[in-house]
Amino acid sequence: MATRVHGPARRAGRLAVTTEEHPRGSDADLPLESVVTATERAGRTSGLEPEHRAVVELARRPVSLVEIGAALTVPVAVVRGLVGELEDRGLLDVHVPPAFTGGRPTADVLARLLEGLRPR
């Protein structure tokens, strides 16, 4: 299983897969600003479904859930499910930012997130 890093280096448990066959798991709560990267095991994508392959290809460089959703033109909820499935297969590492005080991001974090969403 791939490593999900919370802040500096905390390992999380296994995610449930979000598909019609499986109940929604903790990937539903994956923060928008989470960043994913392809693992060494993701070297070959020929056996993957097209949508999974597209996520792995995007994750060859660090990429956020929001960027994946924009590139694939799908809702972030769909991206969360795809990322959860790929993480379970050991094809992605998920890097979750540290929790915010009070459970909410600061205005600075929100401004940076919005800046990252603007077209370049």
Side-chain angles (χ1 to χ4, degrees), residues 43-67:
R44 295 187 201 152
T45 59
S46 59
L48 296 175
E49 296 293 324
E51 58 276 5
H52 289 110
R53 188 176 314 119
V55 172
V56 170
E57 291 303 321
L58 287 167
R60 299 241 180 253
R61 65 166 184 81
V63 62
S64 71
L65 299 184
V66 174
E67 291 174 295

